[in-house]
Coordinates of all heavy atoms in Angstrom, one line a residue:
E216 N 92.4 -68.8 92.8 CA 93.0 -69.8 93.8 C 92.1 -70.8 94.3 O 92.3 -72.0 94.5 CB 93.5 -69.0 94.9 CG 95.0 -69.1 95.1 CD 95.5 -68.5 96.3 OE1 94.8 -67.7 97.0 OE2 96.7 -68.7 96.6
D217 N 90.8 -70.4 94.4 CA 89.8 -71.3 94.9 C 88.9 -72.0 93.9 O 88.1 -72.9 94.2 CB 88.7 -70.5 95.7 CG 89.3 -69.7 96.9 OD1 90.3 -70.2 97.3 OD2 88.7 -68.7 97.3
Y218 N 89.3 -71.7 92.6 CA 88.4 -72.2 91.5 C 88.5 -73.7 91.2 O 87.6 -74.3 90.8 CB 88.9 -71.4 90.2 CG 88.2 -71.6 89.0 CD1 86.8 -71.4 88.9 CD2 88.9 -72.2 87.9 CE1 86.2 -71.7 87.6 CE2 88.4 -72.4 86.7 CZ 86.9 -72.2 86.6 OH 86.3 -72.5 85.3
G219 N 89.7 -74.2 91.5 CA 89.8 -75.7 91.3 C 90.3 -76.1 89.9 O 91.3 -76.9 89.8
K220 N 89.9 -75.4 88.9 CA 90.2 -75.9 87.6 C 91.4 -75.0 86.9 O 91.9 -75.2 85.8 CB 89.0 -75.7 86.6 CG 89.0 -76.6 85.4 CD 87.9 -76.3 84.4 CE 88.1 -77.0 83.1 NZ 87.2 -76.5 82.1
G221 N 91.7 -74.0 87.7 CA 92.8 -73.0 87.2 C 94.1 -73.4 87.8 O 94.3 -74.1 88.8
I222 N 95.2 -72.8 87.2 CA 96.6 -72.9 87.8 C 97.3 -71.6 87.9 O 97.1 -70.7 87.0 CB 97.5 -73.8 86.8 CG1 96.8 -75.2 86.6 CG2 98.8 -74.0 87.3 CD1 97.3 -76.0 85.4
I223 N 97.8 -71.3 89.1 CA 98.6 -70.1 89.2 C 100.0 -70.4 89.3 O 100.5 -71.3 90.1 CB 98.2 -69.4 90.6 CG1 96.7 -69.0 90.4 CG2 99.0 -68.2 90.8 CD1 96.1 -68.3 91.7
L224 N 100.8 -69.8 88.5 CA 102.2 -70.1 88.4 C 102.8 -68.8 88.8 O 102.9 -67.8 88.0 CB 102.5 -70.5 86.9 CG 104.0 -71.0 86.6 CD1 104.4 -72.1 87.5 CD2 103.9 -71.5 85.1
N225 N 103.4 -68.7 90.0 CA 103.9 -67.4 90.5 C 105.1 -67.6 91.3 O 105.2 -67.1 92.5 CB 102.7 -66.6 91.2 CG 102.3 -67.4 92.4 OD1 102.4 -68.6 92.5 ND2 101.7 -66.5 93.3
P226 N 106.2 -68.0 90.7 CA 107.4 -68.0 91.5 C 107.9 -66.5 91.6 O 107.5 -65.6 91.0 CB 108.5 -68.7 90.6 CG 107.9 -68.5 89.1 CD 106.4 -68.4 89.4
V227 N 108.8 -66.3 92.6 CA 109.3 -64.9 92.9 C 110.6 -64.8 92.4 O 111.5 -65.6 92.7 CB 109.2 -64.7 94.4 CG1 109.9 -63.4 94.8 CG2 107.8 -64.6 94.8
V228 N 110.9 -63.8 91.5 CA 112.2 -63.6 91.0 C 113.0 -62.4 91.6 O 114.0 -61.9 91.1 CB 112.1 -63.4 89.4 CG1 111.7 -64.8 88.8 CG2 111.2 -62.4 88.9
G229 N 112.3 -61.8 92.6 CA 112.8 -60.7 93.3 C 112.5 -59.4 92.6 O 112.1 -59.3 91.4
P230 N 112.8 -58.3 93.3 CA 112.5 -56.9 92.7 C 113.3 -56.6 91.5 O 114.4 -57.2 91.4 CB 112.8 -55.9 93.9 CG 112.8 -56.7 95.1 CD 113.2 -58.2 94.7
E231 N 112.9 -55.9 90.5 CA 113.6 -55.7 89.2 C 114.8 -54.8 89.5 O 114.8 -54.0 90.5 CB 112.6 -55.0 88.3 CG 111.5 -55.9 87.9 CD 112.0 -57.0 86.9 OE1 113.1 -57.1 86.5 OE2 111.1 -57.9 86.6
A232 N 115.7 -54.9 88.6 CA 117.0 -54.0 88.8 C 116.6 -52.5 88.7 O 117.2 -51.8 89.5 CB 117.9 -54.3 87.6
I233 N 115.7 -52.2 87.8 CA 115.1 -50.9 87.9 C 113.8 -51.0 88.4 O 112.9 -51.7 87.7 CB 115.2 -50.2 86.4 CG1 116.5 -50.3 85.8 CG2 114.6 -48.8 86.4 CD1 117.7 -49.7 86.5
T234 N 113.4 -50.4 89.5 CA 112.2 -50.7 90.2 C 110.9 -50.7 89.3 O 110.6 -49.7 88.5 CB 112.0 -49.7 91.3 OG1 113.2 -49.7 92.1 CG2 110.8 -50.2 92.2
G235 N 110.3 -51.8 89.2 CA 109.1 -52.0 88.5 C 109.3 -52.4 87.1 O 108.3 -52.6 86.3
S236 N 110.5 -52.3 86.6 CA 110.7 -52.6 85.1 C 110.7 -54.1 84.8 O 111.6 -54.8 84.6 CB 112.1 -52.0 84.8 OG 112.4 -52.3 83.4
S237 N 109.4 -54.6 84.8 CA 109.2 -56.1 84.6 C 109.6 -56.5 83.2 O 109.5 -57.7 83.0 CB 107.7 -56.4 85.0 OG 106.9 -55.6 84.2
R238 N 110.0 -55.7 82.3 CA 110.5 -56.2 81.1 C 111.8 -57.0 81.3 O 112.1 -57.8 80.4 CB 110.8 -55.0 80.2 CG 112.1 -54.2 80.5 CD 112.3 -53.0 79.7 NE 113.6 -52.5 79.8 CZ 114.5 -52.3 78.9 NH1 114.3 -52.8 77.7 NH2 115.7 -51.8 79.1
M239 N 112.4 -56.7 82.4 CA 113.7 -57.4 82.6 C 113.6 -58.7 83.2 O 113.3 -59.6 82.5 CB 114.5 -56.4 83.6 CG 114.7 -55.0 83.0 SD 115.7 -54.0 83.9 CE 117.4 -54.6 83.4
K240 N 113.6 -58.9 84.6 CA 113.5 -60.2 85.1 C 112.1 -60.9 84.8 O 112.0 -62.0 84.5 CB 113.8 -60.3 86.5 CG 115.2 -60.2 86.9 CD 115.5 -60.6 88.3 CE 115.2 -59.5 89.2 NZ 115.6 -59.8 90.6
G241 N 111.0 -60.1 84.9 CA 109.8 -60.7 84.7 C 109.7 -61.2 83.2 O 109.2 -62.3 83.0
G242 N 110.1 -60.4 82.3 CA 110.0 -60.9 80.9 C 110.9 -62.1 80.7 O 110.5 -63.0 80.0
S243 N 112.0 -62.1 81.2 CA 113.0 -63.3 81.0 C 112.4 -64.5 81.7 O 112.3 -65.6 81.0 CB 114.3 -63.0 81.7 OG 114.9 -61.8 81.2
A244 N 111.8 -64.4 82.9 CA 111.3 -65.5 83.5 C 110.0 -66.0 82.7 O 109.7 -67.3 82.7 CB 110.9 -65.2 85.0
T245 N 109.2 -65.1 82.3 CA 108.1 -65.4 81.5 C 108.5 -66.4 80.3 O 108.0 -67.5 80.1 CB 107.4 -64.3 81.0 OG1 106.9 -63.5 82.0 CG2 106.2 -64.6 79.9
K246 N 109.5 -65.9 79.6 CA 110.0 -66.7 78.5 C 110.6 -68.0 78.9 O 110.2 -69.0 78.2 CB 111.1 -65.8 77.8 CG 111.6 -66.4 76.5 CD 112.5 -65.4 75.8 CE 113.3 -65.9 74.6 NZ 113.3 -67.2 74.1
I247 N 111.3 -68.1 79.9 CA 111.9 -69.4 80.4 C 110.8 -70.4 80.8 O 110.8 -71.5 80.4 CB 112.9 -69.0 81.6 CG1 114.1 -68.3 81.0 CG2 113.3 -70.3 82.2 CD1 115.0 -67.7 82.2
L248 N 109.9 -69.9 81.6 CA 108.8 -70.8 82.0 C 107.9 -71.3 81.0 O 107.7 -72.5 80.8 CB 108.0 -70.1 83.1 CG 108.7 -69.7 84.4 CD1 107.7 -68.7 85.3 CD2 108.9 -70.9 85.2
L249 N 107.5 -70.4 80.1 CA 106.5 -70.8 79.1 C 107.2 -71.7 78.0 O 106.6 -72.7 77.6 CB 105.8 -69.7 78.5 CG 104.8 -69.0 79.5 CD1 103.9 -67.9 78.9 CD2 103.7 -70.0 80.0
E250 N 108.4 -71.3 77.7 CA 109.1 -72.1 76.7 C 109.4 -73.6 77.2 O 109.1 -74.6 76.6 CB 110.4 -71.5 76.3 CG 110.1 -70.3 75.3 CD 111.3 -69.5 75.0 OE1 112.5 -69.8 75.5 OE2 111.3 -68.6 74.2
S251 N 109.8 -73.6 78.5 CA 109.9 -75.0 79.1 C 108.8 -75.8 79.2 O 108.8 -77.0 78.8 CB 110.5 -74.8 80.5 OG 111.7 -74.0 80.6
I252 N 107.6 -75.1 79.6 CA 106.4 -75.9 79.7 C 106.0 -76.4 78.3 O 105.6 -77.6 78.1 CB 105.3 -74.9 80.2 CG1 105.6 -74.6 81.7 CG2 103.9 -75.5 80.0 CD1 104.7 -73.5 82.2
L253 N 106.0 -75.5 77.3 CA 105.5 -75.9 76.0 C 106.4 -76.8 75.3 O 105.9 -77.8 74.6 CB 105.1 -74.7 75.1 CG 104.1 -73.6 75.7 CD1 104.0 -72.4 74.9 CD2 102.8 -74.4 75.8
L254 N 107.7 -76.7 75.5 CA 108.7 -77.6 75.0 C 108.4 -79.0 75.5 O 108.4 -80.0 74.7 CB 110.1 -77.2 75.3 CG 110.8 -76.6 74.2 CD1 112.0 -75.8 74.7 CD2 111.3 -77.5 73.1
K255 N 108.1 -79.1 76.8 CA 107.8 -80.4 77.4 C 106.6 -81.0 76.7 O 106.6 -82.2 76.5 CB 107.7 -80.2 78.9 CG 107.3 -81.6 79.5 CD 107.2 -81.6 80.9 CE 106.6 -83.0 81.3 NZ 106.8 -83.4 82.6
A256 N 105.6 -80.1 76.6 CA 104.3 -80.7 76.0 C 104.6 -81.1 74.6 O 104.1 -82.3 74.2 CB 103.3 -79.5 75.9

Side-chain angles (χ1 to χ4, degrees):
E216 248 190 340
D217 300 336
Y218 179 65
K220 203 187 163 191
I222 302 165
I223 301 182
L224 189 53
N225 60 337
V227 166
V228 294
E231 293 289 352
I233 307 303
T234 308
S236 184
S237 54
R238 76 189 192 112
M239 303 184 78
K240 281 195 282 186
S243 303
T245 296
K246 183 168 170 0
I247 293 169
L248 290 169
L249 290 183
E250 283 174 355
S251 305
I252 289 169
L253 296 174
L254 258 163
K255 175 173 174 164

